[in-house]
Amino acid sequence: MKLAIISDIHGNLEALSSVSASIEGQDVDRIVFVGDAVGYGADPVGVIEMVRSMADVAVVGNHDYVACGKEEPSYFNVYASRAIMWTRNRLSAADTDYLRSLDVMVLVGDLTIVHATPLNPLDWDYLYTVEQAAVNYEAFATGLCFIGHSHVPGVFCMDGEGRVSIGDTDSLRLEEGCRYIVNVGSVGQPRDRDPRSCYVIYDTEKRSVDFLRVEYDVPAAQEKIMRAGLPPQLATRLAIGV
Ligand code: ZN
């Protein structure tokens, strides 16, 4: 089975359209969405519509959670906060209901899917270090856990002895007896200084996890953000991938 795993689209329809075209060329069996359809970008409604038709499995992200009114943006920075209030005003009741219906954490076979961390998913913590990864391994039982949230692709491996290390994001091959936490990066607002959209293809037979980068029409997405009156910083960052 071949899976495409996408995350952190953040209202960027140009990015999602390019990634969708790329996925079509990959002959995948299932598409998994790891959260944050909305927030920051100017096309929340178009992105929700597309995610609903594409994704076979989906979890909620922290921006989705605030957009649908389950939480207030008290911990958001000023740009994120302004964008999420703008987003709330654009969603239909059906859009909001869809976001409200999403689970925080989903288990499918040997996969755990959660936006932030398996340990306390609703605390929306970031997972950057081996130490943070080590405590999170205790919170899920599957061989593989896909996360997003930081917008930075990354891999943690835990060997049979419980030692956790940083893994390879170029060509990851899953080893027998090891367990993995994979951050799939971001479709709509990459922050690893590569402005191209990022997503993952997981092949269960080859036991391979590949990170793909896709170019999209950045100027078009930027222009929509400016025209919507959203903070200009949300447009400029797309060109540099931060
Ligand atoms: Zn995000």
Side-chain angles (χ1 to χ4, degrees):
M1 178 128 85
K2 220 169 155 187
L3 306 172
I5 302 106
I6 59 174
S7 189
D8 293 276
I9 303 159
H10 287 291
N12 189 337
L13 194 58
E14 283 69 30
L16 182 60
S17 303
S18 291
V19 165
S20 171
S22 167
I23 290 173
E24 269 169 38
Q26 292 286 336
D27 194 27
V28 304
D29 302 290
R30 294 258 197 292
I31 298 177
V32 175
F33 170 57
V34 196
D36 276 357
V38 303
Y40 301 128
D43 272 312
V45 171
V47 167
I48 288 175
E49 194 181 317
M50 208 164 160
V51 165
R52 288 184 77 157
S53 70
M54 284 172 79
D56 300 285
V57 179
V59 295
V60 72
N62 58 315
H63 288 252
D64 304 327
Y65 209 68
V66 172
C68 72
K70 284 195 174 178
E71 199 169 41
E72 288 310 308
S74 49
Y75 64 98
F76 276 23
N77 68 39
V78 60
Y79 308 130
S81 197
R82 274 183 56 196
I84 213 68
M85 297 321 273
W86 178 92
T87 299
R88 266 189 188 175
N89 288 330
R90 262 136 201 99
L91 300 186
S92 68
D95 296 329
T96 303
D97 285 348
Y98 173 68
L99 297 181
R100 290 188 80 87
S101 76
L102 295 175
D103 286 320
V104 174
M105 186 145 82
V106 169
L107 265 81
V108 194
D110 198 32
L111 297 182
T112 299
I113 297 136
V114 61
H115 184 67
T117 67
L119 184 59
N120 294 307
L122 286 174
D123 286 354
W124 312 113
D125 294 327
Y126 291 94
L127 210 168
Y128 288 121
T129 67
V130 216
E131 290 75 20
Q132 291 165 339
V135 291
N136 270 281
Y137 274 102
E138 293 166 26
F140 70 99
T142 57
L144 194 48
C145 174
F146 286 114
I147 63 168
H149 193 44
S150 70
H151 302 200
V152 177
V155 175
F156 294 99
C157 327
M158 189 174 82
D159 66 16
E161 255 100 82
R163 283 179 301 239
V164 180
S165 59
I166 304 272
D168 191 2
T169 51
D170 285 330
S171 61
L172 177 66
R173 296 296 170 265
L174 305 182
E175 285 172 41
E176 218 47 69
C178 294
R179 295 171 63 221
Y180 296 85
I181 298 175
V182 173
N183 190 314
V184 302
S186 169
V187 169
Q189 196 197 76
R191 294 181 191 158
D192 60 344
R193 301 204 163 269
D194 181 344
R196 295 173 300 167
S197 294
C198 184
Y199 78 99
V200 156
I201 294 284
Y202 169 43
D203 188 318
T204 59
E205 258 144 65
K206 291 188 194 151
R207 292 184 59 77
S208 59
V209 173
D210 291 306
F211 292 80
L212 282 80
R213 301 307 289 243
V214 181
E215 293 200 16
Y216 72 93
D217 192 345
V218 174
Q222 290 179 311
E223 204 193 309
K224 284 186 184 174
I225 287 172
M226 299 303 288
R227 257 194 285 140
L230 287 161
Q233 290 82 355
L234 299 178
T236 47
R237 66 188 303 176
L238 294 180
I240 38 178
V242 294

